[in-house]
């Protein structure tokens, strides 16, 4: 399960589907070990009323996950996944990109591509009446996209432009860089956004990455908000045919964690981030989710009056600072941390040190009273429900977990699991975090931002 304010680099439509209660009240159709076709997950369209659950003619989201992502790039392939994104919905063996885009536009289908550390996703959002066409389109793109050499330079340029736009957001830069410090330039440490330095990626290296990742692993197909899931599953098998039956299941490597410190000078903005590793598991992720809200997720909007979380109070005491805790979970590991950003290096430093101190306080049992834990659990539930409320988020979350772990346990049980987290479990988890070597990154007027010695005390 991947829900975190620090991962807001992904796009977030109109809410028509309350999936916060889906794990308990609806049949999630799963086939994670199919005899034929891709892995499959489907959630029927629901319309919640006070008395019944009925089929709804809302928006459906179809997603094809191609496992691998940037984490499987070799040293000479850095940026290949991001470049590949700009080939999708272009020419295929049987259709031109213009034809695909025109047909999708005429039918009101919104198409998108997402590059992540553990997968590349092809998504289509449409009305239920257009599901069949959207399925055929996604299958064609996933199986038959062409990668001509003469298009690679253009794809790289588009990727670099996207990187420059994303890097205007200091939070995005900090999250990218803390991954590099935590895992170095291997696996999860590989950047999601291609950097101009990766212009050295040759066409041969690019194609090798396509063959060893996108065309190697059995894809995952999810359909969320579809009225007839069983019929969709049959059509998915027909659309993909036997083309993916020989593909292997993606098994992510267990990335080595290193940690350390990195400092960057920047002309505008100041920020600091620290993260600690944790092991995967639904229970651990649930504890991380509650701890995040116990400390302060950065999403508490209080117009009149003071915030109640430690991080909210620290941010209010230092004008212009955004301070939050976050967690990021992957197939093999997770990261929990504290991030601060703002215009003043002095205020950012003070707020950041207060945030780290709050985490260390939890490790000593401070602020984990029963009432506070219940508050944090309710906020975690609200965030999970809000995240799942949009079908595309539900589709990406389900497919991403199935693609990287082979199950959807965390996606289905996290909503309930956060209510069972105890104060003692939170304290033990926080203690396990701070006893490990952290990954620490500052960017901005780095000489005026906290030093490692300032926060290690």
């Amino acid at each position: 399960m991947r829900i975190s304010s620090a991962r807001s680099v992904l796009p977030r439509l109109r809410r028509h589907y309350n999936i916060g209660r889906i794990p308990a009240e609806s049949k999630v159709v799963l086939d994670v070990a199919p005899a034929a076709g891709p892995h499959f997950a489907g959630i029927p369209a629901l319309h919640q009323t006070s008395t019944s659950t009925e089929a709804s003619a809302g928006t459906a989201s179809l997603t094809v996950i191609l496992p691998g992502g940037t984490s499987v790039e070799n040293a000479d392939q850095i940026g290949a996944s991001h470049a590949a994104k700009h080939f999708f919905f272009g020419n295929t063996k049987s259709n031109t990109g213009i034809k695909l885009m025109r047909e999708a536009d005429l039918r009101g289908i919104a198409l998108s591509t997402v590059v992540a550390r553990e997968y590349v996703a092809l998504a289509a959002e449409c009305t239920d009446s257009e599901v069949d066409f959207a399925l055929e389109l996604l299958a064609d793109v996933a199986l038959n996209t062409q990668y001509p050499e003469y298009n690679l330079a253009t794809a790289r340029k588009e990727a670099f432009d996207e990187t420059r736009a994303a890097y205007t957001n200091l939070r995005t830069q900090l999250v990218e860089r803390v991954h590099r410090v935590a895992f170095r330039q291997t696996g999860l440490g590989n950047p999601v956004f291609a950097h101009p330095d990766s212009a050295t990626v040759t066409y041969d290296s690019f194609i090798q990455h396509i063959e060893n990742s996108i065309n190697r692993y059995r894809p995952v197909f999810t359909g969320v908000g579809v009225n007839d899931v069983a019929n969709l599953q049959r059509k998915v098998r027909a659309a993909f045919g036997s083309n993916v039956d020989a593909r292997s299941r993606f098994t992510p490597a267990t990335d080595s964690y290193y940690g350390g410190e990195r400092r960057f000078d920047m002309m505008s903005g100041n920020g600091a981030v620290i993260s600690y590793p944790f092991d995967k598991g639904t229970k651990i992720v649930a504890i991380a989710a509650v701890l995040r809200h116990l400390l302060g997720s950065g999403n508490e909007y209080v117009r009149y009056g003071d915030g109640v979380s430690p991080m909210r109070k620290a941010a209010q005491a230092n004008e212009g600072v955004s301070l939050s805790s976050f967690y990021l979970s992957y197939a093999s590991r997770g990261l929990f941390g504290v991030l601060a950003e703002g215009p003043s290096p002095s205020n950012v430093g003070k707020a950041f040190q207060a945030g780290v101190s709050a985490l260390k306080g939890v490790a000593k049992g401070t602020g984990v009273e029963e009432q506070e834990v219940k508050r944090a659990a309710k906020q975690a539930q609200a965030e999970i429900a809000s995240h799942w409320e949009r079908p595309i988020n539900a589709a990406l979350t389900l497919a991403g977990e199935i693609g990287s772990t082979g199950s959807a346990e965390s996606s289905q049980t996290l909503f309930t699991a956060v209510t069972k987290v105890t104060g003692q479990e939170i304290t033990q988890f926080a203690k396990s975090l701070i006893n490990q070597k952290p990954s620490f990154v500052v960017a901005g007027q780095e000489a005026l931002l906290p030093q490692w010695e300032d926060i290690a005390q």
Side-chain angles (χ1 to χ4, degrees), residues 166-175 177 266 268-272 339-342 443-444:
Y167 269 38
T168 60
N169 184 321
L170 180 57
R171 178 182 292 266
T172 300
Q173 289 198 53
L174 291 171
V175 171
R177 285 170 169 165
M266 294 181 60
S268 62
N270 293 278
L339 187 151
E341 58 177 325

Side-chain angles (χ1 to χ4, degrees), residues 89-106:
F89 302 115
N91 295 338
T92 67
K93 291 180 181 178
S94 55
N95 290 293
T96 66
I98 293 176
K99 179 182 178 181
L100 291 176
M101 293 300 99
R102 181 61 174 164
E103 287 291 332
D105 191 46
L106 290 173

